[in-house]
Each structure stands twice: as structure tokens, then as C-alpha cells.
Amino acid sequence: MMTPREYNRQDRYLRQVTFSPLGEIGQRRLASARVLLIGAGGLGSWVSELLARAGVGFIRIVDDDSVDWTNMHRQAMYSEADAEAGKPKAVAAAQRIALINSEITVEANVTRLAAGNIASLAGDVDVILDGMDNFTSRFLVNDYAVSTSLPWIFAGVVGAQGQVMTIIPSVTACLRCMYDAPPPPEKELNAANTGVLGPAVATMASIEALEAVKLLSAPQPPTSPGAILVLDLWNGSARRIESLSPREDCPCCGQRRDGR
Ligand SMILES: [Zn+2]
């Protein structure tokens, strides 16, 4: 007779294993997958919870910020007690994930992503996920990911608009193929200067998490990576820019091609 614990283990992923494109094999791949999530704000809250529930085996969360009351309308990981205490987001998120799924490993890093620490944070993962709030960090991730052939998923939300793109070095365009450089910080739109809606964040984070599940569970992602999905959820419009290839003169992809 099974103990309650064994019974739960078998049932836990049953409804997603029954989805045949994922299946038992996909579930085993998820269990051995390792992800680095940079930023545990709005996107990061939802992405980490969805991936923890899906059974992704290792989640490393990097964030140097603390929970405050302006986060509460969209950052689903956090409680009023976290905001009251000003708890570090990486720590609060890891504690919450431990309650959601005790069978996976979650690692909290209360630190800011920088050129000096990205290799140690990303060196042992299968994908980097975007929970970032600025393009300077995204370009740092992009350049590292392309130089080391590591997939990463770009996502961003401002107001009620968002975009998601899976970037696979040498297969798809990279961030620098699309934009030469990050915008000057004073011109960048963000939650502080433009506002952001919780349901828009949850929608884009769900798409990002689904892209991660596809990438990590299937040998070949079922949709072509490199397509950019752009949603305006206030106006109800969607735009999909089909798969882009690495740009010939992209400084980042070009360096990779030349082996420099
Ligand atoms: Zn490129």
C-alpha cells in the first residue's frame, strides 16, 4: 500500500504529463532542468511560481531588491508581511516556492547581476529567464548568453503592453540583432515612470514560463523560436513577428561567428 507521500508524488504532475506533447519524458526533462531567473519582481513572481509548480528541478533566483508596498498589486509571490518587513525578494520568493514544491531546489541570491558575477550565476544552467526591469541588464545577459551558446527568454511589460521572445544563439536573432544598444536609462519606460498592470504582467509571465517549459521539456520546441510576440492587452491587439535569424552585422552574433 502506498504511503500518502508516495501517492502525492505520483499524482503531482499527472494533469500535465497527460498532455501528450509533454508526457513522462518531458516531465523527467523538467525535473533535471536548471534555470536562472534574473529579477523576482512582477514577471519573476509568476514565472518562478509556474515553473516550480511544473516541476522544474532547480531554480536560481537573483534579485537585490526588497519587497515594498508598490510591488503588491502585481508581484504575486509576496505577502503583506513581506512588504511590512521589507524582506529581500529573492529570499521571500524562495520561501514561497519551498511551500509550493518541496521536491525541487530553489536558490536565493540577494545580489545584483553584474558583468563580474554573471558567469558564476549562469555557468551551470540550461536557460536564463528575464524578470529584469532594465535593458542594461538584458544586454549583459544577451551578450553572455550568445557568447556561451546559452538560450535565454527575453520578456518585458510596461503599462499593459508586453513582449516575449525565445533567443537561441546561432539559431535565432539576439537582442543586439534588434537593438544595437540599450536605450539611455532616462529614456527607458518602466513601471515607475509609466505604470504597469498586474494582469498584463501575469499574461506575459505565463507566456514566458510556457516558452521555458517547451524549451526544457521538448528536444525540439514545437514553435519556431525567435518569433517575437507583442501584445497590447489594453487595446486587445496581438502581433507576432516571425522567426528572425541572426543579423549578419550584429556585433554580438558576428563575434560568435568569427570565434573572437
Ligand atoms: Zn545578434
Side-chain angles (χ1 to χ4, degrees):
M1 188 175 162
M2 287 188 290
T3 66
R5 185 68 184 156
E6 285 164 341
Y7 181 79
N8 288 340
R9 282 178 71 92
Q10 289 205 346
D11 273 6
R12 170 162 222 142
Y13 305 112
L14 184 59
R15 298 291 185 264
Q16 71 182 30
V17 167
T18 305
F19 177 66
S20 59
L22 195 136
E24 298 270 359
I25 294 172
Q27 191 63 50
R28 282 200 291 278
R29 287 200 177 104
L30 289 181
S32 61
R34 301 173 64 86
V35 308
L36 169 61
L37 171 65
I38 310 212
L43 284 169
S45 275
W46 290 105
V47 167
S48 57
E49 171 153 353
L50 289 165
L51 295 185
R53 289 188 188 278
V56 169
F58 177 86
I59 301 174
R60 177 178 292 136
I61 300 174
V62 174
D63 196 306
D64 69 339
D65 200 7
S66 300
V67 183
D68 74 46
W69 288 98
T70 67
N71 305 145
M72 292 299 288
H73 79 288
R74 70 189 187 284
Q75 301 190 11
M77 277 279 152
Y78 309 122
S79 67
E80 291 188 346
D82 295 331
E84 195 68 49
K87 194 180 277 186
K89 289 182 183 177
V91 172
Q95 289 171 344
R96 165 97 174 130
I97 288 172
L99 295 174
I100 291 169
N101 192 342
S102 60
E103 296 177 357
I104 64 168
T105 302
V106 58
E107 182 189 295
N109 288 262
V110 184
T111 187
R112 186 158 188 83
L113 179 77
N117 64 14
I118 190 166
S120 65
L121 292 167
D124 60 352
V125 300
D126 302 305
V127 63
I128 302 176
L129 301 176
D130 190 345
M132 294 171 268
D133 61 0
N134 70 87
F135 272 85
T136 302
S137 297
R138 290 190 178 105
F139 272 79
L140 177 61
V141 166
N142 181 77
D143 295 354
Y144 174 84
V146 173
S147 72
T148 58
S149 297
L150 185 64
W152 79 282
I153 302 179
F154 159 58
V157 190
V158 176
Q161 295 187 340
Q163 49 191 318
V164 177
M165 176 184 178
T166 298
I167 294 172
I168 300 180
S170 81
V171 175
T172 73
C174 78
L175 196 59
R176 225 176 256 282
C177 290
M178 296 181 289
Y179 312 100
D180 284 333
E186 68 276 10
K187 292 208 167 162
E188 205 171 308
L189 301 181
N190 57 42
N193 62 27
T194 307
V196 65
L197 298 187
V201 173
T203 302
M204 302 316 294
S206 293
I207 296 168
E208 183 181 6
L210 186 59
E211 288 298 308
V213 167
K214 289 194 290 192
L215 189 71
L216 296 170
S217 68
Q220 291 290 326
T223 55
S224 46
I228 310 171
L229 185 63
V230 183
L231 300 184
D232 182 331
L233 294 149
W234 192 258
N235 293 316
S237 64
R239 197 156 53 96
R240 182 181 157 92
I241 303 163
E242 285 309 323
S243 290
L244 302 171
S245 301
R247 211 181 72 200
E248 282 295 312
D249 58 346
C250 166
C252 196
C253 294
Q255 264 194 15
R256 187 187 148 73
R257 268 195 307 274
D258 300 346
R260 277 178 276 153

